[in-house]
Amino acid sequence: CRQVAVKVMMEDIETDPDTRTRFYREAKIAGQLMHNHIVTVFDLGEEDGRPYIVMELLRGSTLGDYLSHPAAVPLETKLELMIQVCEGLAVAHARHIFHRDIKPSNLFVQTDGSLKILDFGIARLASSTMTANGLVVGTPHFMSPEQARGVEVDARSDIFSAGAVFYFMLAGQRPFAAPSLPAAMHRVQFDAPSPVPSGIVPAALERLIMKTLAKDRAMRHQTILDLRDELVAFRRSFDVETRRLAQSVADRCRAFDAVCADVQAARIEAGLDAPGVSPEIGAARQRLAVLEVDSAGALLVVPFKRDELNGLIPVLTLEHQVALARLLAWQGALDAVRMARDTLVSEGPHLALLLFDAAVRAAPESGAFQAERERCVAAVRKLDVVDAHVGADGCAGRDVRGSGGAAGNG
């Protein structure tokens, strides 16, 4: 058996003939539309005089709730949802059915990421006379200017409403926000949409959405498929730019890896383990590894998100700078240790100790450097004790501290 949802008319309004008619009309119209992006109606009936609709059970949330989740929805996902809205409406428009109430609460995002259009309750067949001219139906914040005026509408009214929803998805605000419904209806008919906050929407996509919101329907996209095709074309160009950005991030990762390899070699020479990297860099390495193998088709395998890549750049930049600073410190420490070893043999422990001190200051975590320094300190103390005893014998001390070779020859 399959699980279904049952929509029942509320008891206190089921006696209203207009509401009852609308309820049945929703079921009949939705029943004609079979598509992945339109909710499926299985049955229509009446129980004890109470109408009901049996439809598929959806799991997820309305678009409005989906967009309000704490985790930000990336632009790529929003574009896919927009395209799905257009594809669902295209099926209805092909049957000369106009939804007339496209809004976030009538769009349902399922847990698998697919979208369903809900509630054809005020939808109208092009040939129907059930809705009289002059009657305003719909939701003011998302309805078209012609719908707000109560005149005859066509598919371009749904295009306007879809554009208003897309604006809301991108900008996080309604295009014709107003303190009251009458004010909203006035803005829909006469005012330009509120400006999109700067920097959050690519200019090409903003122009596309603004076209859907033209007051003159002749200036909008003329079919929902025209709008769908423009969204697909934008997504294609956006993906190309994302590939370039992903390649740039991969190049940054390689440069960072090269510095890390040098740091690792220095630490190993100092007797330490290789340094770790941040979880973000570790995850980025795994995802970007595919670019090393097949940079041309990498995005077909790993769908990078623009926000994800842009977020990696400052992290990589900071980690790269930190790694470079570490490398310089380790190289300085290693140079000091190597010079100290040579000086210990050629000049004795006193000068060598100064270099060992410099190495330990540059790399205090190296136990190996600390151990070499301690051996040098012990040598200095031992030599100082010998010098003290020799100095007690008078001038012989000068002979011993002067030139070991000369003393031996005397």
Side-chain angles (χ1 to χ4, degrees), residues 72 93 97 178 223 246 248 280 309 329 376 390-391:
H93 291 179
I97 297 170
T223 72
S248 172
E280 297 96 332
L309 293 168
C376 187
V390 172

Side-chain angles (χ1 to χ4, degrees), residues 48-315:
D48 294 331
R50 203 167 189 189
Y52 65 84
I53 303 172
V54 181
M55 60 183 67
E56 65 177 312
L57 179 64
L58 304 178
R59 301 187 187 280
S61 58
T62 64
L63 179 63
D65 290 340
Y66 177 77
L67 294 173
S68 68
H69 290 170
V73 180
L75 180 59
E76 291 85 349
T77 300
K78 292 177 181 178
L79 283 170
E80 179 57 33
L81 294 174
M82 292 177 195
I83 291 168
Q84 291 182 33
V85 171
C86 293
E87 290 176 345
L89 285 175
V91 173
H93 291 179
R95 298 183 68 92
H96 304 289
I97 297 170
F98 316 132
H99 189 284
R100 295 160 60 89
D101 197 21
I102 294 296
K103 58 184 178 181
S105 59
N106 279 339
L107 301 172
F108 195 90
V109 182
Q110 300 188 94
T111 52
D112 65 359
S114 63
L115 178 141
K116 295 274 188 177
I117 301 174
L118 311 178
D119 194 2
F120 279 81
I122 60 174
R124 179 181 172 189
L125 292 166
S127 59
S128 172
T129 59
M130 292 180 68
T131 303
N133 285 347
L135 178 63
V136 177
V137 290
T139 303
H141 290 103
F142 296 96
M143 68 170 52
S144 66
E146 58 270 27
Q147 195 173 356
R149 291 192 296 269
V151 302
E152 188 70 25
V153 302
D154 57 22
R156 292 171 294 183
S157 179
D158 280 351
I159 291 172
F160 185 98
S161 296
V165 171
F166 298 165
Y167 176 105
F168 173 74
M169 293 171 67
L170 296 170
Q173 62 187 31
R174 291 176 292 198
F176 304 103
S180 65
L181 294 184
M185 293 184 69
H186 182 275
R187 287 207 63 199
V188 163
Q189 295 178 72
F190 303 109
D191 294 350
S194 301
V196 176
S198 177
I200 67 171
V201 180
L205 182 57
E206 183 177 352
R207 288 193 298 271
L208 190 161
I209 300 303
M210 289 303 180
K211 181 178 177 180
T212 68
L213 297 176
K215 304 300 182 187
D216 182 355
R217 49 187 163 185
M219 302 300 294
R220 300 174 204 154
H221 303 84
Q222 294 302 288
T223 72
I224 196 70
L225 289 177
D226 291 339
L227 174 55
R228 189 277 310 270
D229 291 346
E230 286 199 28
L231 286 168
V232 170
F234 172 81
R235 182 176 64 179
R236 190 178 299 117
S237 65
F238 189 79
D239 285 347
V240 170
E241 293 174 6
T242 302
R243 285 190 185 92
R244 294 195 187 103
L245 181 60
Q247 191 61 61
S248 172
V249 173
D251 292 341
R252 288 170 179 264
C253 269
R254 279 194 292 273
F256 174 67
D257 285 344
V259 175
C260 285
D262 290 339
V263 172
Q264 178 177 349
R267 287 176 63 91
I268 290 174
E269 186 174 342
L272 296 171
D273 294 332
V277 297
S278 68
E280 297 96 332
I281 299 298
R285 264 207 201 106
Q286 292 181 353
R287 285 175 55 73
L288 292 165
V290 68
L291 293 170
E292 300 286 341
V293 179
D294 180 17
S295 61
L299 263 71
L300 301 177
V301 180
V302 181
F304 294 103
K305 299 292 190 294
R306 183 76 66 88
D307 290 347
E308 172 191 7
L309 293 168
N310 283 327
L312 278 172
I313 289 176
V315 175

